[in-house]
Amino acid sequence: ILRAGKTSLRKRVVYLDDGCEFLLRGYRVIGNTAEGNLDTEIFTVKGGVQIIGEDTVVTGEVIVIDFKNGTFNATNGTAVIR
């Protein structure tokens, strides 16, 4: 976690609020809030979301990221894959 206003952890699920930024599996993730399961590595990030990887940039209002499978599902979003 690089930045978060509030953080909590309950049963291997992390919650980040009030603006957050974190790194996971080579991706830098920025958003207003994030909720992620540390076992499945599936995260839902909301509010001005940016996901920046070596060859990928995904932006949107809500993005569900499966870090293990390397997949993204964006609502009102765009993706640039190089």
Side-chain angles (χ1 to χ4, degrees):
I1 298 172
L2 300 174
R3 173 179 58 86
K6 296 179 187 176
T7 62
S8 62
L9 179 65
R10 287 181 232 123
K11 295 186 179 182
R12 304 281 300 154
V13 176
V14 64
Y15 301 90
L16 308 174
D17 289 317
D18 297 333
C20 62
E21 183 174 354
F22 62 93
L23 295 172
L24 186 60
R25 289 192 180 247
Y27 292 97
R28 182 179 192 153
V29 181
I30 302 166
N32 290 337
T33 65
E35 176 180 325
N37 184 298
L38 298 175
D39 294 324
T40 64
E41 294 186 18
I42 296 174
F43 283 69
T44 300
V45 186
K46 298 179 181 179
V49 183
Q50 298 178 51
I51 301 168
I52 303 162
E54 184 177 317
D55 57 359
T56 305
V57 176
V58 181
T59 61
E61 280 308 303
V62 178
I63 301 178
V64 178
I65 313 151
D66 184 331
F67 285 101
K68 285 187 178 178
N69 293 324
T71 59
F72 309 92
N73 185 349
T75 302
N76 295 327
T78 61
V80 176
I81 301 170
R82 299 178 199 122

